[in-house]
Amino acid sequence: MDAEHVSECKMKSGYRCGEEVTIQLDTITEHYYKVFADGVEVPQDNEKTNMEFTYFIFIMPDHDVELMIEDHDVDIPFAP
């Protein structure tokens, strides 16, 4: 995992092949994440995500995975 997000990301330290990997990040207003496992974008789990935490889930392959998390800020326009 990229060094910037190690302390923010709540997940186990290791997973077995075929196991579900759940990535839990703090939900932040006017902000969203993009998560990539080996360069492939991991979809957000919208059923589990709430006002407190944002979740991403994928199945662990049979090799170590490079995990990258991108932060994206959102500009919300003022009301007319």
Side-chain angles (χ1 to χ4, degrees):
M1 174 175 306
D2 60 292
E4 179 183 346
H5 293 94
V6 169
S7 63
E8 297 174 17
C9 187
K10 299 180 181 58
M11 59 188 295
K12 295 183 346 183
S13 61
Y15 294 86
R16 292 188 173 129
C17 176
E19 189 174 1
E20 184 177 88
V21 178
T22 300
I23 302 164
Q24 175 186 308
L25 297 160
D26 292 332
T27 298
I28 302 171
T29 303
E30 300 179 17
H31 176 274
Y32 69 95
Y33 302 99
K34 281 193 174 186
V35 175
F36 299 88
D38 289 339
V40 177
E41 188 169 359
V42 177
Q44 180 178 311
D45 185 336
N46 291 324
E47 290 183 20
K48 198 170 184 181
T49 294
N50 55 45
M51 296 299 289
E52 188 174 1
F53 297 111
T54 302
Y55 294 92
F56 296 85
I57 297 174
F58 68 95
I59 302 301
M60 185 68 182
D62 64 350
H63 61 273
D64 290 343
V65 173
E66 180 181 354
L67 199 57
M68 178 67 72
I69 301 171
E70 293 180 356
D71 294 290
H72 294 273
D73 293 325
V74 177
D75 291 326
I76 298 176
F78 293 104

